[in-house]
Each structure stands twice: as structure tokens, then as C-alpha cells.
Amino acid sequence: MKQIFDFLRKISGGKLTQKQVEAADKLIATAYDDVAGMLGIATDVMSTSQNGINLISSFEGCELKAYLCPAKVWTIGFGTTVYPNGVKVKKGDSCTLDQAKQFKAHDLKRFEKTVDDLVQVPLTQNQFDALVSLTYNIGPGAFEKSTLLKKLNTGDYQGAADQFTVWNKGGGKVLQGLVNRRAKEKEVFLR
């Protein structure tokens, strides 16, 4: 995907507008579905429910000016660290509420895809929502390497649920906000 957007940036003179990014996303998704359909590949993927979106939003909050999160990463909106065009958030950036919502929708798709791609066992909607919330916060790489995912993919749902509480640190310190978030994610996962 990055290669496609790098190519599009190159042919457009170096930058893409938000509308261009959204149009490219839609075109790529449509093409993927068409090709998958011709090959007989199922493209059914789960998406986050409104309850899941509300869960993520309640913990992320919304900041219209870039700030350093506890892990020392520049962040904006509802926890966005990289804009849809691939550019990292930096000091001094700002956005409107509508832009923050667009960034969140783009981020959600990315984290939903991560969960869909990596989880090899059936999930309930609540389990999926909890895993997307976790991945939204810790990132795809950490989720992919996690003991939580390993346990889940062996069918150990309770063992996976117990791993949520491990992810309670930011910048090397236990943060009460993360303790609270993980407890809620675990509760949703087990519901």
C-alpha cells in the first residue's frame, strides 16, 4: 500500500490532498474486492461497531493541536500519529474536528485490517472491538508480536483476555489511564 501512495505522490508532484488519498483508498478497495471476487476469495472482514468506536474515542479523547503522548510520539485528533497520506504528525500541527474524525476513520480501517489479518480464530463483535481498541493504542507491530495474539490464535480466549492488563505502560511507566483502558477492553472482550 505504501508503494502505491509513494507512486501517487511522485506523479502528483510530491503531495496528495485528503480527497486524493480517500479516492485512492476507495479505488484500491474496489479493485481488491473485484479481483478477489473473480478468484473466488472471500473478502468478508469485520469492522468496529459503534460501541467499539465509542470505546476507542472515550480513551483517546480529541486534541486538535499536536501533543507528545507518554511514549514521546507526536499525536493529534483521536490518537493519530501518522496522517492518511503517510506523513508523521509533528510539533505545531493542528487540525479541525472534521479532519480528526477523518483521521480516526482512516486509522480504524488500518487497525481493523491488522486484527482481521492476524487473528486466526473466530471472534465475536465484542472481542473484535476490544482487539481493535488495543491495536489502535499499541500499534500493529506490538500486537503482532504479543503473547495475547499467540494465545488467542491457539484458541486460549481466557489466556488472551488475561494479557490485556500487561499493556499498561507508556514511556516505561505504569499509567493509570492505560490500566483503566485495559480493564475496560478486557471486560468488553469477555462480554
Side-chain angles (χ1 to χ4, degrees), residues 1 4 24-45 113 116-117:
M1 190 75 123
I4 293 170
D25 273 343
K26 188 179 281 188
L27 181 63
I28 292 165
T30 301
Y32 174 79
D33 288 345
D34 290 347
V35 170
M38 285 187 279
L39 297 174
I41 300 169
T43 59
D44 295 337
V45 293
K113 182 174 179 358
D116 273 323
D117 288 351

PDB file of all heavy atoms in Angstrom, residues 1 4 24-45 113 116-117:
ATOM      1  N   MET A   1       0.828  -1.183   0.000  1.00  0.00           N
ATOM      2  CA  MET A   1       0.000   0.000   0.000  1.00  0.00           C
ATOM      3  C   MET A   1       0.879   1.257   0.000  1.00  0.00           C
ATOM      4  O   MET A   1       0.594   2.198  -0.705  1.00  0.00           O
ATOM      5  CB  MET A   1      -0.917  -0.041   1.219  1.00  0.00           C
ATOM      6  CG  MET A   1      -1.975   0.997   1.193  1.00  0.00           C
ATOM      7  SD  MET A   1      -3.286   0.629   0.056  1.00  0.00           S
ATOM      8  CE  MET A   1      -4.663   0.650   1.133  1.00  0.00           C
ATOM      9  N   ILE A   4       2.148   2.130  -3.392  1.00  0.00           N
ATOM     10  CA  ILE A   4       1.136   2.768  -4.243  1.00  0.00           C
ATOM     11  C   ILE A   4       1.068   4.254  -3.936  1.00  0.00           C
ATOM     12  O   ILE A   4       1.087   5.098  -4.841  1.00  0.00           O
ATOM     13  CB  ILE A   4      -0.242   2.097  -4.053  1.00  0.00           C
ATOM     14  CG1 ILE A   4      -0.205   0.663  -4.582  1.00  0.00           C
ATOM     15  CG2 ILE A   4      -1.334   2.912  -4.746  1.00  0.00           C
ATOM     16  CD1 ILE A   4      -1.421  -0.150  -4.229  1.00  0.00           C
ATOM     17  N   ALA A  24      -8.083   7.318  -3.673  1.00  0.00           N
ATOM     18  CA  ALA A  24      -7.174   6.194  -3.920  1.00  0.00           C
ATOM     19  C   ALA A  24      -7.544   5.006  -3.034  1.00  0.00           C
ATOM     20  O   ALA A  24      -7.556   3.863  -3.501  1.00  0.00           O
ATOM     21  CB  ALA A  24      -5.729   6.623  -3.684  1.00  0.00           C
ATOM     22  N   ASP A  25      -7.847   5.263  -1.756  1.00  0.00           N
ATOM     23  CA  ASP A  25      -8.265   4.191  -0.848  1.00  0.00           C
ATOM     24  C   ASP A  25      -9.485   3.459  -1.406  1.00  0.00           C
ATOM     25  O   ASP A  25      -9.541   2.229  -1.409  1.00  0.00           O
ATOM     26  CB  ASP A  25      -8.614   4.755   0.538  1.00  0.00           C
ATOM     27  CG  ASP A  25      -7.424   4.873   1.462  1.00  0.00           C
ATOM     28  OD1 ASP A  25      -6.388   4.248   1.186  1.00  0.00           O
ATOM     29  OD2 ASP A  25      -7.546   5.597   2.463  1.00  0.00           O
ATOM     30  N   LYS A  26     -10.471   4.235  -1.859  1.00  0.00           N
ATOM     31  CA  LYS A  26     -11.708   3.656  -2.377  1.00  0.00           C
ATOM     32  C   LYS A  26     -11.433   2.841  -3.644  1.00  0.00           C
ATOM     33  O   LYS A  26     -11.937   1.735  -3.805  1.00  0.00           O
ATOM     34  CB  LYS A  26     -12.716   4.775  -2.685  1.00  0.00           C
ATOM     35  CG  LYS A  26     -14.104   4.260  -3.038  1.00  0.00           C
ATOM     36  CD  LYS A  26     -15.068   5.387  -3.322  1.00  0.00           C
ATOM     37  CE  LYS A  26     -15.557   5.970  -2.026  1.00  0.00           C
ATOM     38  NZ  LYS A  26     -16.628   6.951  -2.212  1.00  0.00           N
ATOM     39  N   LEU A  27     -10.611   3.374  -4.526  1.00  0.00           N
ATOM     40  CA  LEU A  27     -10.268   2.681  -5.762  1.00  0.00           C
ATOM     41  C   LEU A  27      -9.537   1.369  -5.482  1.00  0.00           C
ATOM     42  O   LEU A  27      -9.840   0.324  -6.064  1.00  0.00           O
ATOM     43  CB  LEU A  27      -9.406   3.586  -6.645  1.00  0.00           C
ATOM     44  CG  LEU A  27      -8.984   3.027  -7.999  1.00  0.00           C
ATOM     45  CD1 LEU A  27     -10.202   2.773  -8.878  1.00  0.00           C
ATOM     46  CD2 LEU A  27      -8.033   3.989  -8.680  1.00  0.00           C
ATOM     47  N   ILE A  28      -8.586   1.403  -4.559  1.00  0.00           N
ATOM     48  CA  ILE A  28      -7.819   0.205  -4.205  1.00  0.00           C
ATOM     49  C   ILE A  28      -8.737  -0.852  -3.589  1.00  0.00           C
ATOM     50  O   ILE A  28      -8.674  -2.031  -3.938  1.00  0.00           O
ATOM     51  CB  ILE A  28      -6.653   0.558  -3.255  1.00  0.00           C
ATOM     52  CG1 ILE A  28      -5.608   1.394  -4.004  1.00  0.00           C
ATOM     53  CG2 ILE A  28      -6.033  -0.695  -2.648  1.00  0.00           C
ATOM     54  CD1 ILE A  28      -4.612   2.094  -3.106  1.00  0.00           C
ATOM     55  N   ALA A  29      -9.623  -0.427  -2.686  1.00  0.00           N
ATOM     56  CA  ALA A  29     -10.546  -1.367  -2.039  1.00  0.00           C
ATOM     57  C   ALA A  29     -11.481  -2.002  -3.063  1.00  0.00           C
ATOM     58  O   ALA A  29     -11.731  -3.216  -3.027  1.00  0.00           O
ATOM     59  CB  ALA A  29     -11.347  -0.658  -0.955  1.00  0.00           C
ATOM     60  N   THR A  30     -11.994  -1.194  -3.980  1.00  0.00           N
ATOM     61  CA  THR A  30     -12.892  -1.714  -5.015  1.00  0.00           C
ATOM     62  C   THR A  30     -12.163  -2.700  -5.911  1.00  0.00           C
ATOM     63  O   THR A  30     -12.679  -3.784  -6.221  1.00  0.00           O
ATOM     64  CB  THR A  30     -13.469  -0.551  -5.850  1.00  0.00           C
ATOM     65  OG1 THR A  30     -14.171   0.329  -4.974  1.00  0.00           O
ATOM     66  CG2 THR A  30     -14.412  -1.057  -6.930  1.00  0.00           C
ATOM     67  N   ALA A  31     -10.949  -2.344  -6.326  1.00  0.00           N
ATOM     68  CA  ALA A  31     -10.166  -3.237  -7.190  1.00  0.00           C
ATOM     69  C   ALA A  31      -9.868  -4.545  -6.472  1.00  0.00           C
ATOM     70  O   ALA A  31      -9.972  -5.631  -7.060  1.00  0.00           O
ATOM     71  CB  ALA A  31      -8.875  -2.548  -7.614  1.00  0.00           C
ATOM     72  N   TYR A  32      -9.519  -4.470  -5.191  1.00  0.00           N
ATOM     73  CA  TYR A  32      -9.223  -5.672  -4.414  1.00  0.00           C
ATOM     74  C   TYR A  32     -10.454  -6.576  -4.356  1.00  0.00           C
ATOM     75  O   TYR A  32     -10.365  -7.780  -4.589  1.00  0.00           O
ATOM     76  CB  TYR A  32      -8.770  -5.300  -3.002  1.00  0.00           C
ATOM     77  CG  TYR A  32      -8.584  -6.502  -2.112  1.00  0.00           C
ATOM     78  CD1 TYR A  32      -7.436  -7.276  -2.200  1.00  0.00           C
ATOM     79  CD2 TYR A  32      -9.562  -6.882  -1.200  1.00  0.00           C
ATOM     80  CE1 TYR A  32      -7.265  -8.399  -1.403  1.00  0.00           C
ATOM     81  CE2 TYR A  32      -9.405  -8.001  -0.406  1.00  0.00           C
ATOM     82  CZ  TYR A  32      -8.243  -8.754  -0.509  1.00  0.00           C
ATOM     83  OH  TYR A  32      -8.089  -9.869   0.276  1.00  0.00           O
ATOM     84  N   ASP A  33     -11.610  -5.990  -4.039  1.00  0.00           N
ATOM     85  CA  ASP A  33     -12.841  -6.774  -3.960  1.00  0.00           C
ATOM     86  C   ASP A  33     -13.171  -7.421  -5.302  1.00  0.00           C
ATOM     87  O   ASP A  33     -13.587  -8.573  -5.361  1.00  0.00           O
ATOM     88  CB  ASP A  33     -14.014  -5.902  -3.495  1.00  0.00           C
ATOM     89  CG  ASP A  33     -13.924  -5.538  -2.015  1.00  0.00           C
ATOM     90  OD1 ASP A  33     -13.133  -6.173  -1.285  1.00  0.00           O
ATOM     91  OD2 ASP A  33     -14.641  -4.615  -1.591  1.00  0.00           O
ATOM     92  N   ASP A  34     -12.983  -6.671  -6.405  1.00  0.00           N
ATOM     93  CA  ASP A  34     -13.264  -7.205  -7.739  1.00  0.00           C
ATOM     94  C   ASP A  34     -12.354  -8.382  -8.065  1.00  0.00           C
ATOM     95  O   ASP A  34     -12.815  -9.428  -8.523  1.00  0.00           O
ATOM     96  CB  ASP A  34     -13.105  -6.113  -8.804  1.00  0.00           C
ATOM     97  CG  ASP A  34     -14.191  -5.046  -8.737  1.00  0.00           C
ATOM     98  OD1 ASP A  34     -15.206  -5.269  -8.038  1.00  0.00           O
ATOM     99  OD2 ASP A  34     -14.020  -3.988  -9.381  1.00  0.00           O
ATOM    100  N   VAL A  35     -11.066  -8.231  -7.842  1.00  0.00           N
ATOM    101  CA  VAL A  35     -10.110  -9.300  -8.133  1.00  0.00           C
ATOM    102  C   VAL A  35     -10.373 -10.508  -7.230  1.00  0.00           C
ATOM    103  O   VAL A  35     -10.390 -11.651  -7.690  1.00  0.00           O
ATOM    104  CB  VAL A  35      -8.648  -8.804  -7.985  1.00  0.00           C
ATOM    105  CG1 VAL A  35      -7.666  -9.958  -8.055  1.00  0.00           C
ATOM    106  CG2 VAL A  35      -8.338  -7.767  -9.053  1.00  0.00           C
ATOM    107  N   ALA A  36     -10.597 -10.252  -5.944  1.00  0.00           N
ATOM    108  CA  ALA A  36     -10.877 -11.346  -5.014  1.00  0.00           C
ATOM    109  C   ALA A  36     -12.132 -12.100  -5.445  1.00  0.00           C
ATOM    110  O   ALA A  36     -12.179 -13.333  -5.397  1.00  0.00           O
ATOM    111  CB  ALA A  36     -11.029 -10.809  -3.596  1.00  0.00           C
ATOM    112  N   GLY A  37     -13.155 -11.361  -5.877  1.00  0.00           N
ATOM    113  CA  GLY A  37     -14.388 -11.989  -6.347  1.00  0.00           C
ATOM    114  C   GLY A  37     -14.142 -12.882  -7.554  1.00  0.00           C
ATOM    115  O   GLY A  37     -14.668 -13.997  -7.647  1.00  0.00           O
ATOM    116  N   MET A  38     -13.338 -12.411  -8.499  1.00  0.00           N
ATOM    117  CA  MET A  38     -13.024 -13.202  -9.701  1.00  0.00           C
ATOM    118  C   MET A  38     -12.267 -14.472  -9.333  1.00  0.00           C
ATOM    119  O   MET A  38     -12.404 -15.503  -9.990  1.00  0.00           O
ATOM    120  CB  MET A  38     -12.193 -12.378 -10.686  1.00  0.00           C
ATOM    121  CG  MET A  38     -13.005 -11.330 -11.427  1.00  0.00           C
ATOM    122  SD  MET A  38     -12.056 -10.520 -12.711  1.00  0.00           S
ATOM    123  CE  MET A  38     -11.156  -9.311 -11.752  1.00  0.00           C
ATOM    124  N   LEU A  39     -11.447 -14.398  -8.289  1.00  0.00           N
ATOM    125  CA  LEU A  39     -10.650 -15.549  -7.865  1.00  0.00           C
ATOM    126  C   LEU A  39     -11.380 -16.433  -6.862  1.00  0.00           C
ATOM    127  O   LEU A  39     -10.847 -17.446  -6.413  1.00  0.00           O
ATOM    128  CB  LEU A  39      -9.319 -15.073  -7.260  1.00  0.00           C
ATOM    129  CG  LEU A  39      -8.384 -14.322  -8.199  1.00  0.00           C
ATOM    130  CD1 LEU A  39      -7.183 -13.788  -7.440  1.00  0.00           C
ATOM    131  CD2 LEU A  39      -7.937 -15.226  -9.340  1.00  0.00           C
ATOM    132  N   GLY A  40     -12.586 -16.008  -6.456  1.00  0.00           N
ATOM    133  CA  GLY A  40     -13.361 -16.786  -5.500  1.00  0.00           C
ATOM    134  C   GLY A  40     -12.852 -16.678  -4.074  1.00  0.00           C
ATOM    135  O   GLY A  40     -13.066 -17.557  -3.257  1.00  0.00           O
ATOM    136  N   ILE A  41     -12.169 -15.578  -3.768  1.00  0.00           N
ATOM    137  CA  ILE A  41     -11.637 -15.358  -2.426  1.00  0.00           C
ATOM    138  C   ILE A  41     -12.631 -14.529  -1.632  1.00  0.00           C
ATOM    139  O   ILE A  41     -13.070 -13.466  -2.092  1.00  0.00           O
ATOM    140  CB  ILE A  41     -10.277 -14.634  -2.479  1.00  0.00           C
ATOM    141  CG1 ILE A  41      -9.259 -15.461  -3.258  1.00  0.00           C
ATOM    142  CG2 ILE A  41      -9.767 -14.303  -1.082  1.00  0.00           C
ATOM    143  CD1 ILE A  41      -7.982 -14.720  -3.591  1.00  0.00           C
ATOM    144  N   ALA A  42     -12.974 -14.983  -0.446  1.00  0.00           N
ATOM    145  CA  ALA A  42     -13.894 -14.229   0.396  1.00  0.00           C
ATOM    146  C   ALA A  42     -13.215 -12.971   0.922  1.00  0.00           C
ATOM    147  O   ALA A  42     -12.057 -13.016   1.317  1.00  0.00           O
ATOM    148  CB  ALA A  42     -14.368 -15.086   1.577  1.00  0.00           C
ATOM    149  N   THR A  43     -13.931 -11.864   0.905  1.00  0.00           N
ATOM    150  CA  THR A  43     -13.369 -10.614   1.427  1.00  0.00           C
ATOM    151  C   THR A  43     -14.138 -10.134   2.650  1.00  0.00           C
ATOM    152  O   THR A  43     -14.055  -8.973   3.012  1.00  0.00           O
ATOM    153  CB  THR A  43     -13.392  -9.508   0.349  1.00  0.00           C
ATOM    154  OG1 THR A  43     -14.750  -9.300  -0.060  1.00  0.00           O
ATOM    155  CG2 THR A  43     -12.535  -9.863  -0.832  1.00  0.00           C
ATOM    156  N   ASP A  44     -14.895 -11.033   3.252  1.00  0.00           N
ATOM    157  CA  ASP A  44     -15.653 -10.656   4.441  1.00  0.00           C
ATOM    158  C   ASP A  44     -14.681 -10.336   5.568  1.00  0.00           C
ATOM    159  O   ASP A  44     -13.904 -11.190   5.986  1.00  0.00           O
ATOM    160  CB  ASP A  44     -16.581 -11.790   4.884  1.00  0.00           C
ATOM    161  CG  ASP A  44     -17.661 -12.074   3.858  1.00  0.00           C
ATOM    162  OD1 ASP A  44     -17.966 -11.171   3.066  1.00  0.00           O
ATOM    163  OD2 ASP A  44     -18.183 -13.197   3.853  1.00  0.00           O
ATOM    164  N   VAL A  45     -14.713  -9.126   6.006  1.00  0.00           N
ATOM    165  CA  VAL A  45     -13.884  -8.716   7.127  1.00  0.00           C
ATOM    166  C   VAL A  45     -14.777  -8.043   8.148  1.00  0.00           C
ATOM    167  O   VAL A  45     -15.805  -7.467   7.810  1.00  0.00           O
ATOM    168  CB  VAL A  45     -12.745  -7.756   6.691  1.00  0.00           C
ATOM    169  CG1 VAL A  45     -11.742  -8.468   5.812  1.00  0.00           C
ATOM    170  CG2 VAL A  45     -13.293  -6.544   5.989  1.00  0.00           C
ATOM    171  N   LYS A 113      -7.899  -3.956   9.817  1.00  0.00           N
ATOM    172  CA  LYS A 113      -7.211  -4.857   8.880  1.00  0.00           C
ATOM    173  C   LYS A 113      -6.136  -5.667   9.608  1.00  0.00           C
ATOM    174  O   LYS A 113      -5.984  -6.871   9.366  1.00  0.00           O
ATOM    175  CB  LYS A 113      -6.607  -4.072   7.723  1.00  0.00           C
ATOM    176  CG  LYS A 113      -5.931  -4.968   6.688  1.00  0.00           C
ATOM    177  CD  LYS A 113      -5.477  -4.209   5.484  1.00  0.00           C
ATOM    178  CE  LYS A 113      -4.779  -5.026   4.429  1.00  0.00           C
ATOM    179  NZ  LYS A 113      -4.550  -6.403   4.609  1.00  0.00           N
ATOM    180  N   ASP A 116      -7.985  -8.319  11.554  1.00  0.00           N
ATOM    181  CA  ASP A 116      -8.525  -9.290  10.597  1.00  0.00           C
ATOM    182  C   ASP A 116      -7.429 -10.184  10.026  1.00  0.00           C
ATOM    183  O   ASP A 116      -7.615 -11.392   9.879  1.00  0.00           O
ATOM    184  CB  ASP A 116      -9.237  -8.574   9.436  1.00  0.00           C
ATOM    185  CG  ASP A 116     -10.689  -8.264   9.731  1.00  0.00           C
ATOM    186  OD1 ASP A 116     -11.363  -9.076  10.385  1.00  0.00           O
ATOM    187  OD2 ASP A 116     -11.162  -7.201   9.288  1.00  0.00           O
ATOM    188  N   ASP A 117      -6.298  -9.586   9.691  1.00  0.00           N
ATOM    189  CA  ASP A 117      -5.213 -10.341   9.058  1.00  0.00           C
ATOM    190  C   ASP A 117      -4.493 -11.287  10.024  1.00  0.00           C
ATOM    191  O   ASP A 117      -4.055 -12.366   9.619  1.00  0.00           O
ATOM    192  CB  ASP A 117      -4.176  -9.386   8.443  1.00  0.00           C
ATOM    193  CG  ASP A 117      -4.673  -8.682   7.198  1.00  0.00           C
ATOM    194  OD1 ASP A 117      -5.752  -9.032   6.673  1.00  0.00           O
ATOM    195  OD2 ASP A 117      -3.982  -7.736   6.754  1.00  0.00           O
TER     196      ASP A 117
END
